[in-house]
Amino acid sequence: MALKIRFLLTSRCTATCAYCHNEGQSKQGASLLRFSIIKHILDTLTAANLMPSEIVLSGGEPTLHKQIGDVARLCKSVTPHLSMDSHAGHPQLLQAALPYLDELKLHIDSFDPQMQYASMGIDINNVLTSIRQAQQFPALQLRVN
């Protein structure tokens, strides 16, 4: 049996999607999954010889986690497949995780600047910058929905 883990790194998100279905999502009382808890979970699994076949970093918007690069590096050290779900609106924050990701799943409503901003409140130029950054890693699977 394959062990897959999904870490909800934060409930914070800077997108304003009216249709958002992510559990725990809110602007008020946003939470952050502490790095020490992630490390404890992964150390416990490793000690029990239970290596996850996949880890997904999710949220809210996972790039808003203050230690996203450290989280991605730690997770990649124990799994063959590290994935992230993101709206790609923060290329400067995403950059810290990119070297460790095997898959990046981007949620984009439109490549039309006005429609994208109206739907999600995210500047498409930031998304395009994130896509260009991700393309610098040839082994990274980039998925856009």
Side-chain angles (χ1 to χ4, degrees), residues 104-144:
L104 178 60
K105 295 175 275 190
L106 302 180
H107 178 83
I108 302 167
D109 283 353
S110 176
F111 283 96
D112 175 89
Q114 288 79 24
M115 289 178 68
Q116 172 67 6
Y117 196 80
S119 179
M120 296 181 68
I122 300 294
D123 184 337
I124 194 64
N125 291 314
N126 289 341
V127 174
L128 295 173
T129 297
S130 291
I131 290 171
R132 284 191 293 276
Q133 288 176 340
Q135 289 172 330
Q136 300 304 308
F137 298 87
L140 176 63
Q141 297 173 20
L142 184 60
R143 303 196 193 286
V144 178

Side-chain angles (χ1 to χ4, degrees), residues 18-95:
Y19 53 80
C20 184
H21 65 277
N22 284 342
E23 63 277 350
Q25 184 103 15
S26 71
K27 303 253 187 259
Q28 297 175 336
S31 63
L32 181 73
L33 183 59
R34 291 191 321 261
F35 182 83
S36 61
I37 292 173
I38 297 167
K39 183 170 179 1
H40 176 73
I41 290 168
L42 295 177
D43 287 349
T44 301
L45 291 171
T46 300
N49 202 28
L50 295 170
M51 306 307 287
S53 61
E54 178 180 3
I55 297 176
V56 177
L57 304 179
S58 187
E61 173 52 42
T63 61
L64 296 177
H65 192 284
K66 297 172 186 173
Q67 295 175 281
I68 188 60
D70 293 333
V71 168
R73 182 173 20 86
L74 174 64
C75 290
K76 184 58 187 167
S77 73
V78 300
T79 187
H81 190 82
L82 180 61
S83 178
M84 180 187 285
D85 301 325
S86 176
H87 62 50
H90 305 290
Q92 71 282 8
L93 301 175
L94 175 63
Q95 194 168 21

